[in-house]
Amino acid sequence: MSRIDEITRYIVAEFAPDIRADELDADYDLLDNGVVDSLGLLRLIGWLGERYDLPVDDIDLAPEQFRSVRAVDAFVESALVKGPAL
Amino acid sequence: MIKWTDEQRTLRAAAAELGAVVGKDHLERDATGTFSEQGWALVRESGLLGLPFGAEYGGLDADLLTTMYVLEGLGESCRDGGFPFSVTTHVVSTGVPLQRFGSDELKQRYLPGVCSGSAIGAHAISEPDAGSDMMAMRTTAVLDGDDYVLSGSKSFVSNGPIADTFMVYARTGKSGAPDAITTFLVERDSPGLHVGQPMGKMGLKTSPLSELFLDGVRVPTSRVVGKVGAGFLVLDHVMKWEILLSFVVNLGEMEHRLAECVRHARSRKQFGRPIGSYQSVSNKLVDMRIGVETSRKWLYDTAEKLVARKAVTTDIAITKLVVSEANVASALAAVQVFGGYGYMTEYGVEKDVRNAVAGTIYSGTTEIQRQRVAAMMGLG
Amino acid sequence: MGDHLSGLIDSHAKGTAVSFNGADVSYRELRALVADALRVLDGLPAGRPVALHVRKSPESVALVLACWAQRRPFLLPPADLGTDARAALYRQAGCGHVLHADLTTVDTGEPADEVPELDGVGPMLTTSGSTGLPKVVPLPHDGIDRFTDWAAGAFGITGGSVVFNYAPLNFDLCLLDIWTTLRRGGHVVLADQERAVDARYLLRAFTHARVEVVQAVPLFYRRLLEVADGPFPDVRELVHTGDAMPPALLARLPEFFPNARLRNVYGCTETNDSLIHDSDPTSADPVPIGRPIDGVQVRLDGGELLVRTPFQAGRYLDTAIADKWVEVDGETWLRTGDLVRQDADGVFHLDGRADYQVKVRGVRTNVQQVEQALQSHAEVADVVVLAVPDDEAGYRLHAVVRAVDGTRPNSLTLRSHCARLLPRTAVPSSLELTADEFPRTTTGKVDRKKLLAERV
């Protein structure tokens, strides 16, 4: 399973359980449409940090990075490229 | 079980020594609601205020766990509960978000003042109409040229009357959206910023608190801390630190209180026997002990998880709830163990009850913490 | 006999007066039933109010007419009200006896010297109260006379007109369906209130005679259309009332009622019909409540609609309940509790209930506006938005959505739809799709309390 699929599945399972993963468009605005609220954002960031071993506490986080599945995937990509910072 | 190094123990001993001195005239200051200027001068000299911050800014570069261990020592020795609260508020309100989210320029400009204590920090989050719900805040920040213009009012600003630097959280986006809030660093002498009169309160009377009014305060875009719209994430980070640092102080207080109660229960006699030999008293002491141990485990376990980059949102909420409630229970039990003396102001035991109640309210009430845990479990 | 019933039953009326569960009752038979009831009523203290513990039937219709004929005030509480609440209402209205449809009587034991002032009052209907005990609304005879005159003219009810009655007997809606019809010598087809949600039964009842005028809550039309095959070309006046008509349902009505004028009537028990609007089935917007009917005055107070009608009660029996009746410039007005706005054409639109306003993250939000937004989605058949108390946000919104048959909207499409129409705080925190019917109160309105209780 590709990373973007995995992210999609997590978001669907946690925040929109009534839909199938293939119904969530990668560009769907998760924030403006209220799928992910403020606490949901913390859950999502927590999950990403653990799942991909990201140094989320060292990255300059902004909600923009979690606006859509595609944005989340790009966030993970860039965080991985930077490598685990200390 | 964490094994503390000699260096860590030395730092804690220094903090304990400081706390004992600052706490000396705590009853008088509690009665008049006076912040200890002298204590602040001492704590500045000690370097304690720069504990978790980089050496390049004048800090001690201590890690989170060391910082907590040292503050626990301060709590254990300092009978003035409001003073350590002002200390932790200073550290977490401005230093912590600057270190994590601040631009290099902001760090260079403001972190040295945080570390040295020359500029006292505060943060302005809650509002009269929004309560604990930061997403409901009405204070707005509107971009105008190179400045944001802040308008609104903030309630319950700890350190407000003595602060030089405020972290103000204001709305830059759609109300209710997770990206609606932005964090601004605002200097006290900014035109349009008004600090209200110190407000009377039930406990933590020596830590001054006020309202803050922002009447078209212009803040340069360079003083945005973190990205625009990231205020909620900044605050989440700050709250983790605030809860760990301010409640580890409570842990120290509970340890001291337990020791005092045990000493009293073993020495005071009734009907020819030490009162501690009566089960009704010993049960209370055992419960106090359980409270101390549970709080210690939650505080340090959560801190270790945070350092290990684990998701701790749920742990933080549980820690906050467990320690604040244990502190209230411990303070009430102490009043009962000390009987009539516990009830009298001059023995300083009843004041702990008033101080402890504050802990169940600030940084999100017990109810909010429960709801947060529920939300993290995917419930509603 | 004829004297007694003059003004209540058209004196020249012949043929069928009432149909019920497949049986027809002629005007002659109805008069005989009234005579039976009068014999019983004559044995009770003259002028003393009575309570009618009845469900809808030709016999209970006759019983009401008999009370009316004696100009005796009568209380019509909801048939399913609990015993204690009923007893409390009997006491309040000073009812000496309770009558059942089979004409058995029960002495309430209420003292005769504690009868409230009821001069000129006929029916005493009830409306739900905030305390749990319904409020008694005493309707004056002269107001009812004015109402039936207006209604007969507005909907063309004359001798021989066939009118369908869906509402329970204790509803003010019956003033149009039943009481206006009988006064004008028409034929009223009664739906059994026990079977009000049984679609097949409703279709049978509705097709028992060639119905020309029908007034009902939207639920009735939805039920009927579920099972109806063909159109009902005899219907010339269709009135929907009592609850918001979903635009998707309204859009289907012309197909089934090709010759009907579709109208929305707004009113309440206290004032009776107050505003009326020709509903536009081609519009996807919520149906406006329209303009005041002749003789009705309206005014706004902070968005809330106040009305004053020629038909109104002007008070509750318990005069201690004064919050809804207000004096303005020496006249008595009813605060409806409905938030409305008037458009450039002078047409009023309902924005929701004043008491449906909640604060979500500090922002005043009307759950009914959220419902309207969701309702305007093509795949939404029905929706209820619940305000769930939340320690942090104050309230959060939870939407329960029933999809149009054969469609499967999902939470994402509905969220986008809401986000386009509503402020961010009004986008529900959670959406739930259900295939279940919404629970309804006896008045046919969605039982929000029950839905909420099931979800908290």
Side-chain angles (χ1 to χ4, degrees), chain B residues 71-90:
Chain B
L71 287 171
E72 185 186 332
L74 182 67
E76 194 177 4
S77 70
C78 186
R79 298 285 54 79
D80 176 351
F83 185 78
F85 186 70
S86 275
V87 169
T88 54
T89 299
H90 165 78

Side-chain angles (χ1 to χ4, degrees), chain B residues 133 135-136 138 175 367 371, chain C residues 361-363 390-392 425:
Chain B
D133 180 18
M135 305 313 288
R138 296 212 175 145
S175 192
E367 290 68 36
Q371 192 140 357
Chain C
R361 299 203 172 277
V363 181
D390 183 281
D391 281 339
E392 196 155 339
T425 42

Side-chain angles (χ1 to χ4, degrees), chain B residues 79 255-265 285 337-338:
Chain B
R79 298 285 54 79
E255 285 162 349
H256 169 80
R257 193 180 301 131
L258 174 61
E260 287 293 299
C261 285
V262 169
R263 199 172 49 75
H264 180 73
L285 299 173
V337 170
F338 279 94

Side-chain angles (χ1 to χ4, degrees), chain C residues 95-387:
Chain C
C95 299
H97 288 83
V98 182
L99 280 89
H100 299 264
D102 63 1
L103 298 179
T104 55
T105 63
V106 177
D107 190 333
T108 60
E110 293 299 329
D113 54 357
E114 287 183 18
V115 177
E117 162 62 48
L118 292 170
D119 251 10
V121 168
M124 290 183 275
L125 305 185
T126 61
T127 183
S128 57
S130 50
T131 59
L133 187 69
K135 295 183 282 199
V136 178
V137 181
L139 294 177
H141 288 294
D142 53 2
I144 291 172
D145 292 345
R146 285 191 286 268
F147 177 82
T148 52
D149 285 350
W150 169 77
F155 302 104
I157 298 170
T158 60
S161 295
V162 183
V163 179
F164 188 76
N165 159 261
Y166 179 73
L169 196 63
N170 59 305
F171 273 46
D172 58 295
L173 301 183
C174 295
L175 287 169
L176 193 165
D177 319 330
I178 304 180
W179 312 118
T180 303
T181 304
L182 294 177
R183 284 183 183 204
R184 299 298 159 129
H187 169 189
V188 57
V189 178
L190 307 177
D192 189 343
Q193 63 193 73
E194 299 290 277
R195 298 159 80 177
V197 292
D198 176 345
R200 303 219 160 265
Y201 164 76
L202 291 175
L203 179 62
R204 270 202 311 282
F206 193 71
T207 51
H208 174 78
R210 301 170 83 110
V211 171
E212 297 162 47
V213 179
V214 51
Q215 164 174 259
V217 291
L219 175 68
F220 166 76
Y221 299 106
R222 195 152 63 75
R223 288 296 183 184
L224 191 70
L225 265 53
E226 277 170 13
V227 291
D229 297 323
F232 305 102
D234 295 311
V235 175
R236 53 179 173 77
E237 290 285 353
L238 183 154
V239 177
H240 60 89
T241 188
D243 210 352
M245 169 61 91
L249 177 57
L250 180 65
R252 297 176 61 208
L253 292 181
E255 180 194 344
F256 288 86
F257 301 96
N259 301 319
R261 182 177 183 184
L262 311 178
R263 283 193 278 183
N264 183 21
V265 166
Y266 169 91
C268 46
T269 307
E270 293 91 329
T271 60
N272 286 311
D273 295 356
S274 309
L275 286 92
I276 193 161
H277 181 77
D278 275 281
S279 307
D280 176 3
T282 63
S283 165
D285 297 328
V287 183
I289 55 174
R291 293 187 174 86
I293 64 179
D294 292 345
V296 171
Q297 297 168 271
V298 297
R299 62 195 301 155
L300 295 185
D301 179 18
E304 184 181 353
L305 178 69
L306 274 62
V307 298
R308 172 178 158 75
T309 75
F311 328 127
Q312 69 187 23
R315 60 167 173 143
Y316 294 114
L317 199 53
D318 180 357
T319 46
I321 311 168
D323 55 326
K324 287 193 75 182
W325 291 106
V326 290
E327 294 287 320
V328 184
D329 302 335
E331 292 174 330
T332 305
W333 295 73
L334 183 81
R335 299 192 77 94
T336 61
D338 284 319
L339 301 174
V340 300
R341 92 197 110 79
Q342 196 172 15
D343 65 21
D345 299 329
V347 172
F348 285 92
H349 299 254
L350 207 52
D351 276 343
R353 290 286 301 171
D355 46 7
Y356 284 156
Q357 280 206 349
V358 292
K359 273 196 171 181
V360 179
R361 299 203 172 277
V363 181
R364 203 175 285 284
T365 306
N366 193 301
V367 297
Q368 291 180 317
Q369 272 171 321
V370 184
E371 286 174 357
Q372 284 173 8
L374 278 163
Q375 191 82 66
S376 68
H377 189 276
E379 295 183 340
V380 172
D382 221 344
V383 59
V384 177
V385 172
L386 304 170

